[in-house]
Structures are given as C-alpha cells and as structure tokens.
C-alpha cells in the first residue's frame, strides 16, 4: 500500500508540474497494475514453466485468465474451468501449490 501511495504522489506531482489537471480516471489507470494484496499483474506468458506444468497436471480443464506475482515470487492465478467455474490458485515459482 505504501508503494501505491508513493506512486500516486509521484504521478500527481508530474501532472501538476506539467500543467495538466488530474482526472479521476488517471488514478484508476494507475491502480490497475497493483492490487491490495501485494500482487502485481503480469502477462500469462511470463509465468514460469513449472507453474504451467503443475496446472496442466492438477487442473487439466483450467485456463488462466489473469496472473499476478509478488516480491516473494509467489504467483496468484485467476483461472476458469470448462464448466464455467472460476477460482484463484497460488503457486511458488517451482509450481508447488501454496496457501496464502
């Protein structure tokens, strides 16, 4: 949360210094990449290979909708199953499932 506050202050300062007015939508765009739980969204293609292997083995009908990573290299996966069920899984960089 401290990082988000610092980034928001820097963005606000840059808008003020450049003479542009800050709109509420500017701040919403800023918050898209950082979530409240310390995870930052990354492209699914950037997931370590062991995570994809573990997902295929343990959840063969799952599709990764979104992927996130935190500073401890723990990954949060928002997944959908073929039957329409959605859920969240957590894994370490070696493809081991973890609970947070």
């Amino acid at each position: 949360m401290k990082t988000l506050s610092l980034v928001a202050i820097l963005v606000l300062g840059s808008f003020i210094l450049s003479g542009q007015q800050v709109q509420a939508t500017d701040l919403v765009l800023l918050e898209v990449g950082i979530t409240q739980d310390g995870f930052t969204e990354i492209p699914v293609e950037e997931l370590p290979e062991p995570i994809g292997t573990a997902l295929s083995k343990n959840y063969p009908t799952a599709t990764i909708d979104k992927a996130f990573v935190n500073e401890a290299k723990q990954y949060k996966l928002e997944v959908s199953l073929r039957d329409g069920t959605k859920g969240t899984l957590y894994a370490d960089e070696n493809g081991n499932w973890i609970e947070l």
Side-chain angles (χ1 to χ4, degrees):
M1 194 64 182
K2 290 179 184 178
T3 304
L4 181 60
S5 299
L6 178 61
V7 172
I9 290 169
L10 292 174
V11 169
L12 287 172
S14 67
F15 280 114
I16 292 169
L17 291 176
S18 66
Q20 297 178 359
Q21 289 190 354
V22 177
Q23 302 289 326
T25 54
D26 295 330
L27 297 179
V28 171
L29 293 175
L30 174 66
E31 292 184 36
V32 169
I34 302 173
T35 62
Q36 291 288 338
D37 55 5
F39 285 86
T40 303
E41 187 171 357
I42 60 169
V44 173
E45 298 81 25
E46 291 184 13
L47 286 172
E49 187 177 329
I51 293 176
T53 302
L55 187 70
S56 297
K57 179 181 176 183
N58 298 116
Y59 302 94
T61 65
T63 302
I64 302 172
D65 300 323
K66 290 184 179 182
F68 304 84
V69 65
N70 66 13
E71 291 180 6
K73 300 257 185 196
Q74 297 170 327
Y75 293 84
K76 174 181 171 181
L77 311 172
E78 292 182 4
V79 298
S80 297
L81 301 179
R82 276 191 218 142
D83 67 3
T85 305
K86 292 185 179 273
T88 303
L89 300 170
Y90 296 90
D92 65 18
E93 63 186 327
N94 298 315
N96 300 309
W97 303 114
I98 56 177
E99 289 187 35
L100 295 181

